[in-house]
Amino acid sequence: MGEALVDVFQHDDGTTTVWPGGSPTNVAMGLTRLGHVVSELCYIGDDAYGEVLHAKLRDEGIAEQPGALTAPASSVADVRLTAAGDAEYEFSVLWDVPTSIDWDGIRVVHAGSIALALSPGADHVLELLQGRPAGVRVTIDPNVRPAFLPREGRPSGWSRSSRSPTWSN
């Protein structure tokens, strides 16, 4: 469960490349490629980036968890390479999930770092994990970026169309 987002790479020649991903999506892809049956509880917008994400999930054989919510806009990580070749990210992320899911057949759940840190979804993820059936194992992605940690006066999320304030990491 967690962030499905697109990385949008800005190239020096003015072109862009869009890559679907996010930790939970990448984990899900790896597991399906190893032959496991996987579903993802994600928050994807009904927009062009959402179409890219839905297509990638379908192409990889990843089912979307029934009851997943639709985001107002898909989450985006704008990626720029510095002169030294380092990646700089600017995130536009919204995150939420339902407070209940059908646990039938689920043996392991992986929660992404943004899913565990960004409200309001983080509270719902905690509720889901605390209410999971006995025997369901939990793995997490500990790569929490400081930009997603709560800070007084900072909203819990924002859409791509309203980029103010901009948080970089």
Side-chain angles (χ1 to χ4, degrees):
M1 64 179 67
E3 60 276 9
L5 55 80
V6 292
D7 290 324
V8 179
F9 289 87
Q10 308 290 333
H11 301 285
D12 290 338
D13 64 3
T15 61
T16 59
T17 304
V18 176
W19 291 94
S23 168
T25 302
N26 294 338
V27 168
M29 287 189 290
L31 289 170
T32 58
R33 291 173 185 177
L34 292 171
H36 297 280
V37 176
V38 177
S39 63
E40 185 169 8
L41 181 62
C42 44
Y43 193 51
I44 299 174
D46 185 15
D47 53 25
Y49 289 139
E51 291 175 20
V52 169
L53 289 164
H54 288 297
K56 184 64 173 178
L57 294 174
R58 276 192 311 273
D59 290 349
E60 294 286 338
I62 302 166
E64 292 180 55
Q65 269 289 320
L69 303 175
T70 301
S74 293
S75 295
V76 176
D78 285 311
V79 184
R80 288 178 190 78
L81 294 179
T82 66
D86 298 321
E88 291 181 341
Y89 297 88
E90 183 179 309
F91 293 92
S92 299
V93 177
L94 293 170
W95 169 239
D96 202 3
V97 291
T99 56
S100 65
I101 61 172
D102 179 3
W103 288 98
D104 188 41
I106 297 175
R107 297 186 338 239
V108 177
V109 62
H110 173 77
S113 58
I114 294 171
L116 294 164
L118 187 65
S119 292
D123 295 333
H124 300 157
V125 169
L126 183 58
E127 286 178 48
L128 290 170
L129 294 178
Q130 288 174 332
R132 75 189 187 280
V136 174
R137 293 179 186 215
V138 176
T139 65
I140 63 168
D141 173 8
N143 184 23
V144 177
R145 297 172 187 268
F148 292 106
L149 296 176
R151 191 169 65 207
E152 186 175 301
R154 181 167 72 186
S156 62
W158 70 100
S159 71
R160 185 169 174 77
S161 61
S162 60
R163 287 224 147 168
S164 182
T166 298
W167 306 330
S168 297
N169 185 26

